[in-house]
Amino acid sequence: MLSRSNDLNHALAMMLEAGRRMDHVWNDVEPPWPGMLRSAWRSLGAASWPRVNLYDTGSTLVLRADVPGLTHKDLSVTLDEHRVSITGARTVTAPAGHTVHHRERGNIHFSRSLSLPCKIDPEASTAAVQNGVLTLTLAKAPEAQQRQITVRVRGDA
Amino acid sequence: MGLDTIVQWTKSKLGFRDGGSELAVVPQAPMYPSGRTAQPALDVFESRAEVTLVLDAPGATPRNTRITWDGVDTLTVYVQRASPAPGEVVWWEQEACDWFRQVALGTDLDGAKASSTVLDGVVTVVLPKRGRSATGKLIPVRAG
């Protein structure tokens, strides 16, 4: 389990932002090669989309991912006891009668899998997408939840 | 510190200019910047009658989104989406931050007649062109 100070968080955020901007470079620059090489080029940039944060609330793990423009119809979530997989796609088109001046939002087809830090109960877990944010609430398996043990004085009944 | 002072400070930090017009204002929900912002990805489209901007801003709702036209040529989109973490951070790829983007556009756009929508974390702003550009007058050239 990771725990970082605010300063370290900030430094890491700057590195991630730099990475995000590099992703734009990967996505925006079209290589001159056709076919498989172009797909490989795009997949390099799309490898880390969407960005994911994972939180531990004690009884659940909460996963949040930014998926702008996607609805529940565009997303598929697969759970097993130690792993979560998210797949989805979106197609961006110009409004009818418009020409494209500037484009940073691309078509997206993604698949991400994450190993979870503890065993979960897929049956008791839920997924929701609202305002372009996917939230998975993953119920921890009973054996993965923290347990409080009463301390007794030796000799107490 | 009063609420007005905070709002004025917020506007000054965001570069809002006096005299500009706000396209989507919810007076009951003043904006408080988290201190950290990220740039949403942007598409710009143009037709004969209007310019359309589309921004990826996950977390945006009509209530937390403020769009401002400076009265000349600059559009500002600000989404106050930062929210507290629901628990202890286990894995972390994106910092909690607001969305902020300023775009300089042509001076032939009519910001007062602009409209905007927010759907599924995507903000769309439509700025109509002024009449003189859309229906320009043809000036005949005569021989001297």
Side-chain angles (χ1 to χ4, degrees):
Chain A
M1 188 170 291
L2 303 177
S3 178
R4 305 184 179 95
S5 70
N6 284 339
D7 287 344
L8 190 56
N9 276 349
H10 187 59
L12 192 54
M14 290 174 67
M15 291 168 61
L16 288 168
E17 177 61 18
R20 193 178 72 84
R21 293 185 182 192
M22 281 306 296
D23 285 350
H24 275 304
V25 173
W26 287 114
N27 289 330
D28 292 346
V29 178
E30 281 289 338
W33 325 304
M36 285 179 62
L37 283 174
R38 181 171 292 182
S39 299
W41 175 275
R42 283 183 176 162
S43 69
L44 283 170
S48 58
W49 204 95
R51 302 285 180 196
V52 167
N53 287 0
L54 187 65
Y55 307 94
D56 188 338
T57 68
S59 59
T60 63
L61 296 173
V62 176
L63 183 149
R64 282 184 182 165
D66 286 346
V67 288
L70 278 77
T71 67
H72 67 283
K73 294 174 185 171
D74 307 313
L75 291 161
S76 171
V77 178
T78 308
L79 298 177
D80 67 29
E81 291 179 340
H82 291 282
R83 196 163 191 83
V84 57
S85 299
I86 310 166
T87 59
R90 121 183 145 174
T91 304
V92 175
T93 55
H98 287 64
T99 55
V100 178
H101 260 302
H102 179 77
R103 174 152 266 179
E104 295 172 0
R105 306 167 60 249
N107 294 333
I108 292 167
H109 188 96
F110 71 91
S111 179
R112 283 204 71 177
S113 287
L114 291 96
S115 294
L116 299 171
C118 64
K119 186 177 176 182
I120 63 160
D121 179 359
E123 296 300 323
S125 300
T126 60
V129 62
Q130 187 174 28
N131 302 322
V133 179
L134 173 67
T135 303
L136 305 183
T137 304
L138 310 170
K140 289 184 181 178
E143 59 266 36
Q145 295 190 28
Q146 287 187 338
R147 212 158 51 98
Q148 190 166 9
I149 301 170
T150 305
V151 180
R152 293 180 176 169
V153 177
R154 183 173 291 174
D156 277 4
Chain B
M1 182 181 290
L3 187 59
D4 289 342
T5 308
I6 295 172
V7 172
Q8 287 303 319
W9 177 85
T10 304
K11 285 185 173 181
S12 67
K13 286 292 180 188
L14 293 175
F16 290 177
R17 299 180 214 170
D18 289 339
S21 57
E22 292 177 345
L23 308 181
V25 180
V26 184
Q28 295 82 4
M31 295 292 179
Y32 302 104
S34 69
R36 291 172 182 166
T37 58
Q39 272 202 146
L42 166 73
D43 285 350
V44 181
F45 306 103
E46 182 176 8
S47 71
R48 291 189 65 179
E50 64 196 26
V51 169
T52 301
L53 291 87
V54 185
L55 301 102
D56 279 346
T61 66
R63 192 169 179 77
N64 68 7
T65 302
R66 176 158 292 176
I67 303 170
T68 309
W69 176 253
D70 75 340
V72 184
D73 66 350
T74 303
L75 184 83
T76 303
V77 177
Y78 173 60
V79 179
Q80 193 254 314
R81 66 88 53 122
S83 58
E88 186 180 352
V89 175
V90 177
W91 179 252
W92 181 81
E93 295 176 348
Q94 180 157 286
E95 186 180 23
C97 60
D98 299 337
W99 297 113
F100 180 78
R101 184 119 191 201
Q102 218 161 30
V103 188
L105 299 160
T107 54
D108 63 333
L109 300 175
D110 191 351
K113 293 180 181 172
S115 61
S116 63
T117 57
V118 181
L119 181 66
D120 298 327
V122 177
V123 178
T124 303
V125 184
V126 178
L127 292 150
K129 294 180 180 176
R130 292 185 197 280
R132 58 182 166 80
S133 295
T135 57
K137 183 184 175 186
L138 183 65
I139 301 172
V141 180
R142 295 177 182 170

